Structures are given as structure tokens and as C-alpha cells.
Amino acid sequence: MYIDGEGKDRKTAAMLALLLGGFGIHEFYLGNTRAGIFMLLFSWTGIPSAIAIGQGIHYLRMTDDAFVQMMKVMRQNEELRKSIR
């Protein structure tokens, strides 16, 4: 199992997205609290489930290096968002 510096595993994120993604659990796991809350609030519509299945498949198809890069970009975006406030 490959784990990046933040302790986030690609396969774990994929499985969470496929199994519990309709509730945004994978977003909470990856540190995207805002996205997780929105997915949880709108879980009754079924739309978050469709999005999560797509994300889960995407995570399974990407390489470990691409996943690490994605996590770095997400971390940089969050730092930028915090610096703007």
C-alpha cells in the first residue's frame, strides 16, 4: 500500500468513495470538509452518489504518483484559501 506524506491512501479513498461516497465520507477522509458537508447535505438526491462513483473509479485508475500530486494541489489550494481570509 502506498501512502503519501499526509497518510492518505489512494485505494482507501477509492473504496470509501465507492461504498460510502454518497454521504461524502471519502471527502472527509481526504480532508475536503466543505465538499463532504455538501455531499452529506444533498445525499438524499442521489447526485452525490453518482459523483462519488465517478471519483472512486478515477482514484482506482490513477497512479500513486498522480494521487500524491492531487493531494499536494488540494493542500496548496486550502493554504491559499486560508491566506485569503
Side-chain angles (χ1 to χ4, degrees):
M1 235 187 273
Y2 184 86
I3 298 177
D4 73 28
E6 296 245 333
K8 307 300 181 197
D9 180 54
R10 176 180 62 88
K11 291 178 185 174
T12 302
M15 289 299 112
L16 287 173
L18 292 171
L19 299 174
L20 298 170
F23 301 106
I25 303 302
H26 65 294
E27 296 290 0
F28 289 112
Y29 173 73
L30 294 174
N32 299 331
T33 307
R34 184 176 294 145
I37 290 171
F38 279 114
M39 290 182 94
L40 186 60
L41 288 174
F42 291 100
S43 62
W44 61 274
T45 66
I47 295 170
S49 295
I51 293 169
I53 289 171
Q55 289 176 324
I57 292 170
H58 179 70
Y59 296 156
L60 286 175
R61 294 184 68 192
M62 68 183 356
T63 64
D64 291 330
D65 291 333
F67 184 77
V68 170
Q69 284 300 110
M70 181 189 76
M71 293 301 298
K72 286 180 182 178
V73 169
M74 287 172 34
R75 193 175 323 118
Q76 289 172 349
N77 287 344
E78 186 61 32
E79 289 172 6
L80 179 61
R81 188 175 295 125
K82 286 180 182 178
S83 69
I84 292 173
R85 290 182 189 173

